[in-house]
Amino acid sequence: MLSVIVITKNEAQHIGRCLASVAWADEIIVLDSGSSDDTVAICRLFTDKVFITDWPGFGPQKQRALDKASGEWVLSIDADEEIGPALKDEIQHAMQKSEAHGFEIPRLSSYCGKQIKHGGWWPDYVLRLFRRDAGQFNSEVVHERIEVKGTIHQLNNPILHEAFVDPAEVLHKINTYSSLGAEKLFTNGKRASLGKAIGKGLWTFIRTYFIQAAILDGAEGLMLAISNAEGSYYKYLKLRELCRTAASK
């Protein structure tokens, strides 16, 4: 038996395609943290196991979803991801034939309509399929990971990931993730200055565009490098502000 787990908030633009791509699973569990759009209504077209919760962070929220799963195997996907037919067949074969405890799956991401093959985005192996009794999520509020005890193998066919639909979504995610990243760094005792924020942003652009060859992805590769640099810059700028606020108290 396979349980699919998904967490959502205001994902009406994506969630229908996501859940339709895993409709073949034995169980679909959705944890929503207060959507104000049609996300919950769309989810209920695919499963009766839709739960409304508060928001404790990515790691704890995905662990909550995992705790509700009953399948021997669990597939964790994000609302902006899809499982294609070839990957579906590979997953089903792996669950039946393999003695592994978990599988890393390559992820092919698109940026404003173009699939990106460079810039550190491909192959982006993510551990998403695992035996329920062998895996759990860590408690990180952002950039969470599944920790699996046992043997981990790799699959060949990719998860399709619509990372950014348009520039508006790019800006929204830069703002969201830079805030979460800054809070995580602050909690871990890190500090930042304006110079460090600028330096981190410049280095991120150079690494993405030149070293990781996003230049080969054309205009979207340049856009990706710029947005990565902005995300890094604003993360450390927000960390600087958190430090200044704490020092003034």
Side-chain angles (χ1 to χ4, degrees):
M1 181 175 174
L2 174 66
S3 298
V4 172
I5 59 174
V6 190
I7 64 170
T8 59
K9 183 175 182 181
N10 293 333
E11 293 286 357
Q13 186 175 19
H14 299 288
I15 194 63
R17 293 191 300 275
C18 171
L19 296 184
S21 77
V22 293
W24 48 272
D26 299 290
E27 176 181 66
I28 298 175
I29 294 169
V30 178
L31 260 67
D32 185 86
S33 54
S35 290
S36 57
D37 61 9
D38 293 331
T39 296
V40 171
I42 295 170
C43 290
R44 285 178 173 154
L45 297 175
F46 295 91
T47 177
D48 59 354
K49 296 183 178 181
V50 180
F51 305 91
I52 312 300
T53 75
D54 61 349
W55 177 248
F58 283 95
Q61 186 76 330
K62 289 188 176 182
Q63 183 60 44
R64 285 176 174 176
L66 176 58
D67 290 341
K68 294 181 180 297
S70 59
E72 178 186 358
W73 287 88
V74 175
L75 175 65
S76 173
I77 61 172
D78 293 338
D80 57 1
E81 296 175 341
E82 297 177 48
I83 305 298
L87 179 55
K88 167 193 169 183
D89 292 343
E90 191 175 10
I91 287 172
Q92 291 178 324
H93 182 268
M95 290 190 299
Q96 293 171 1
K97 302 296 182 181
S98 177
E99 297 300 320
H101 297 83
F103 291 90
E104 293 180 336
I105 307 173
R107 182 168 58 171
L108 181 57
S109 298
S110 63
Y111 185 101
C112 296
K114 180 173 181 176
Q115 291 182 336
I116 301 296
K117 292 295 186 68
H118 305 89
W121 273 30
W122 175 260
D124 177 24
Y125 279 96
V126 286
L127 204 166
R128 295 298 186 81
L129 178 66
F130 57 97
R131 295 182 187 272
R132 181 169 55 86
D133 59 1
Q136 64 179 13
F137 288 89
N138 63 18
S139 59
E140 296 292 342
V141 297
V142 64
H143 302 311
E144 75 293 342
R145 293 184 300 106
I146 302 167
E147 298 173 345
V148 170
K149 296 180 180 179
T151 305
I152 298 173
H153 292 172
Q154 291 184 338
L155 300 183
N156 296 313
N157 292 286
I159 294 173
L160 302 178
H161 177 214
E162 196 169 29
F164 301 101
V165 175
D166 53 35
E169 186 174 17
V170 173
L171 291 174
H172 173 71
K173 287 188 175 181
I174 285 174
N175 187 45
T176 299
Y177 282 93
S178 62
S179 294
L180 292 171
E183 292 167 6
K184 179 179 177 180
L185 290 172
F186 182 76
T187 300
N188 291 336
K190 303 297 183 181
R191 299 294 179 263
S193 63
L194 177 59
K196 186 171 186 178
I198 293 171
K200 289 286 188 179
L202 286 172
W203 167 242
T204 299
F205 178 85
I206 292 169
R207 184 185 64 223
T208 303
Y209 195 58
F210 295 108
I211 298 174
Q212 296 176 325
I215 189 173
L216 299 177
D217 284 307
E220 288 78 8
L222 177 59
M223 293 160 61
L224 170 62
I226 292 171
S227 59
N228 279 357
E230 288 181 311
S232 183
Y233 167 74
Y234 281 111
K235 179 172 68 175
Y236 283 91
L237 194 65
K238 290 176 181 181
L239 174 59
R240 174 179 179 267
E241 291 305 307
L242 288 174
C243 294
R244 286 162 60 91
T245 300
S248 66
K249 291 182 180 180

